[in-house]
Amino acid sequence: MTAYFIFTREGPIVDQAAMDAYSAANRAQAAHFVAEYGLKPLAVYGALDTLEGDAPDGVIILAFPDADKARAWYNSDEYQKIIPLRDKAAPYRALLVEGL
């Protein structure tokens, strides 16, 4: 069953250098993340139309073949190493949602 990681940026970027380093690290690992975990980006900071509630500053939606692959990616040494950069750059919320 397909699973989705949804990341919402909950405030402005406060450290652009950290965000740039986080983005570069993700780009450098992209092919590995796709091959190893089946990661497929569906939305990355696209146009956002908030219909209810408070708007996040940005949204990323990543699809994975299943929740186990999604958790394996999130918990991988490669991704865990760069989370501190993201956390330094801006406040984020991460959710894992299983599809139908």
Side-chain angles (χ1 to χ4, degrees):
M1 173 180 315
T2 303
Y4 305 90
F5 252 111
I6 302 169
F7 291 89
T8 58
R9 193 173 74 223
E10 300 294 319
I13 295 171
V14 295
D15 186 330
Q16 189 61 54
M19 181 58 76
D20 293 345
Y22 173 75
S23 296
N26 266 317
R27 282 191 304 277
Q29 292 289 332
H32 168 69
F33 289 158
V34 169
E36 181 74 19
Y37 305 106
L39 181 155
K40 180 180 179 185
L42 299 179
V44 180
Y45 296 113
L48 183 61
D49 184 10
T50 301
L51 303 176
E52 295 184 26
D54 297 333
D57 282 10
V59 176
I60 297 170
I61 303 172
L62 307 174
F64 292 85
D66 55 48
D68 288 339
K69 285 284 192 182
R71 284 186 187 94
W73 166 76
Y74 183 81
N75 292 316
S76 70
D77 289 341
E78 298 92 349
Y79 190 67
Q80 287 294 307
K81 285 180 191 174
I82 64 173
I83 288 175
L85 293 169
R86 186 194 70 209
D87 290 344
K88 185 177 179 186
Y92 275 84
R93 182 175 305 205
L95 306 110
L96 176 58
V97 179
E98 292 189 63
L100 300 176

